[in-house]
Amino acid sequence: MLEIKNNTNKYQIIDFTWPNGYYSDGLHAGLRKVKKDMGWIYSEIPAQAAGTYTTNQFQAAPTKLTKQTINQDHQLQAIIMNSAIANSCTGHQGELDALATQKLTAAKLGISPELVGVASTGLIGENLPMDIIKNGINQLELTDNTNVTSAVLTTDKHTKTISVQLNIDDKIVTISGFCKGSGMIHPKMATMLGFVMTDANIQDGLLQQILNTEVDSTFNQITVDGDTSTNDMVVTMANGMANNQELTTDSQDYPKFVSAFHEVLSQLAQDIAEDGEGSTKLVEVNVHNAASHSDGQKVAKAIVGSNLVKSAIFGEDPNWGRIVAAIGQTDATVDIEHTFIWLNGLSLVEDSHAADYSEEEMKQSLSNNKITIDVDLNSGSESGQAWGCDLTYNYVRINATYKS
């Protein structure tokens, strides 16, 4: 167990576990050849719910349905998901299939359809084989296993999970999250599904506020390939079964909870960036002394999103001109005569000129699995952060044969 300290806020990262009152399952229903392809998450009681959704104009039927469902009463009790068929660009039939999936799940669990969210990922443009969907739902059980965390994966190389615990009013509160995402990843949501469950008791409406803020600084600060998809969402549920006093913005422990919630989303976001399709390296960019937080975030995203920067990192080539070019393409305020860049702590650029560095040492540093780029814009006191990965030959191979 690792204790993380954030100023006066303390929480612990623990082995992945479900918070009080949550159950799940995942299985191979037959939508895919071999891998698990369906799963669900369920709360004993209706939970406060919040969501953020893809900005792609071709928003998929299950994504729209879940958004509508949450917006009704900001409550969910279950989420059903599949990782093979996106049910996107499928017209009216796709909407009917999403509704049918919602109703079948509700009937199996004995709850109202208005308490069921629906999530899908996979191929765009294909209709759901509803006989397989129905059979899969009938086979799902309420267990404490973690099969659902692998049932949501597509081209991901591994599951992405995290659990954090903290003490609120002498009650142990757990926040657990899992997600999928590897390709079609870019800021403002991407081909990723994220689910965060907590047993915290939170004031009505506050969960959406927290999620919006934290998604902006985590999931919206990653990029793999610059593409956004049609099905993406992050949904969080809070069932209150930790029995802590209701958290409000005035609560003494509110900053502690937000800090722990941020940790969950931040780690999941970094896991997606690290697991980018074909990637070999996680890239973290930290921008310092920006004129505004917006400028810092903008510059960080521009660097991790540059295909030239990503290619140089894959080739272990310290071509800092590509980083400077990426910064200059933004409209951020930059002191163009006094910009500084470091790579894994090694000085690369000083006062907008090449630093006196060892090519051999720099190339050796670029062989690491994680590359950290620090940039000083010398224009203020704000900061920004983003994550991405390198661009490899394998990315093209994976996406050239995705459907076949």
Side-chain angles (χ1 to χ4, degrees):
M1 186 179 291
L2 175 66
E3 184 175 36
I4 305 294
K5 296 183 178 180
N6 185 349
N7 298 324
T8 59
N9 302 323
K10 296 182 181 179
Y11 50 86
Q12 293 179 317
I13 297 177
I14 62 170
D15 291 338
F16 187 74
T17 186
W18 297 123
N20 290 321
Y22 289 95
Y23 302 90
S24 70
D25 197 12
L27 50 76
H28 175 240
L31 296 169
R32 305 175 71 180
K33 292 180 180 179
V34 178
K35 295 181 179 179
K36 294 183 183 71
D37 48 28
M38 283 192 70
W40 66 10
I41 184 82
Y42 168 81
S43 171
E44 283 184 24
I45 60 175
Q48 186 181 163
T52 59
Y53 314 92
T54 180
T55 56
N56 192 297
Q57 293 186 68
F58 290 95
Q59 198 173 83
T63 309
K64 289 190 289 187
L65 178 60
T66 299
K67 183 177 182 179
Q68 293 166 4
T69 302
I70 289 178
N71 284 348
Q72 285 179 13
D73 296 307
H74 298 285
Q75 282 193 327
L76 286 180
Q77 196 167 351
I79 306 171
I80 182 74
M81 57 201 79
N82 92 77
S83 60
I85 308 297
N87 192 13
S88 175
C89 299
T90 47
H92 183 57
Q93 186 59 51
E95 294 174 354
L96 293 176
D97 290 342
L99 280 167
T101 302
Q102 184 184 55
K103 291 177 180 178
L104 287 167
T105 303
K108 174 71 183 288
L109 293 169
I111 62 178
S112 168
E114 286 72 27
L115 290 173
V116 178
V118 182
S120 300
T121 187
L123 284 175
I124 293 173
E126 292 196 4
N127 291 108
L128 289 173
M130 291 306 297
D131 55 337
I132 296 178
I133 294 292
K134 181 177 181 179
N135 185 54
I137 292 171
N138 287 336
Q139 292 183 65
L140 287 168
E141 299 178 354
L142 298 179
T143 75
D144 59 1
N145 70 43
T146 59
N147 289 344
V148 68
T149 65
S150 58
V152 297
L153 305 182
T154 51
T155 57
D156 307 64
K157 294 190 289 288
H158 54 75
T159 57
K160 301 170 178 67
T161 63
I162 181 174
S163 289
V164 168
Q165 286 188 337
L166 64 157
N167 188 302
I168 297 178
D169 303 323
D170 293 325
K171 305 290 185 182
I172 299 298
V173 169
T174 304
I175 309 172
S176 294
F178 67 100
C179 67
K180 65 82 52 180
S182 188
M184 293 185 78
I185 304 296
H186 192 59
K188 296 301 177 188
M189 306 304 295
T191 299
M192 51 84 55
L193 297 175
F195 307 96
V196 180
M197 264 53 66
T198 181
D199 48 18
N201 180 21
I202 306 175
Q203 183 182 48
D204 285 349
L206 189 54
L207 193 62
Q208 186 68 62
Q209 178 181 322
I210 296 170
L211 182 65
N212 288 345
T213 300
E214 299 308 321
V215 162
D216 270 347
S217 62
T218 56
F219 287 119
N220 283 347
Q221 285 298 110
I222 59 175
T223 184
V224 170
D225 48 20
D227 288 308
T228 59
S229 188
T230 57
N231 291 61
D232 319 312
M233 67 174 81
V234 178
V235 174
T236 185
M237 298 167 61
N239 66 12
M241 293 185 67
N243 295 318
N244 59 287
Q245 292 183 19
E246 183 181 76
L247 275 171
T248 71
T249 54
D250 295 326
S251 299
Q252 181 179 353
D253 289 324
Y254 178 70
K256 182 194 299 187
F257 178 82
V258 173
S259 180
F261 194 88
H262 176 86
E263 178 71 18
V264 170
L265 269 61
S266 176
Q267 288 302 315
L268 291 177
Q270 291 180 63
D271 283 350
I272 289 176
E274 181 272 333
D275 194 29
E277 288 176 342
S279 68
T280 63
K281 305 176 192 297
L282 169 67
V283 182
E284 177 178 290
V285 175
N286 301 297
V287 176
H288 311 275
N289 297 319
S292 66
H293 178 63
S294 175
D295 275 4
Q297 296 290 77
K298 192 181 304 179
V299 168
K301 284 191 288 188
I303 295 170
V304 295
S306 165
N307 283 337
L308 289 176
V309 173
K310 291 153 67 69
S311 298
I313 290 172
F314 170 62
E316 301 178 359
D317 176 20
N319 188 342
W320 59 266
R322 294 179 173 182
I323 301 174
V324 169
I327 297 169
Q329 289 180 52
T330 73
D331 61 0
T333 300
V334 181
D335 185 340
I336 60 173
E337 299 296 333
H338 303 289
T339 296
F340 294 76
I341 301 172
W342 296 264
L343 193 151
N344 288 342
L346 302 174
S347 181
L348 191 62
V349 175
E350 296 177 359
D351 286 326
S352 304
H353 291 83
D356 183 16
Y357 62 84
S358 163
E359 286 271 356
E360 183 177 346
E361 184 180 22
M362 199 66 72
K363 286 184 69 69
Q364 178 62 37
S365 180
L366 280 165
S367 68
N368 295 345
N369 292 330
K370 181 178 179 180
I371 307 299
T372 302
I373 299 172
D374 286 278
V375 175
D376 186 343
L377 299 179
N378 201 30
S379 298
S381 58
E382 297 295 327
S383 62
Q385 187 175 47
W387 301 275
C389 62
D390 55 347
L391 181 61
T392 71
Y393 307 125
N394 204 29
Y395 174 85
V396 177
R397 183 191 65 79
I398 290 169
N399 284 284
T401 58
Y402 185 83
K403 183 174 182 179
S404 56

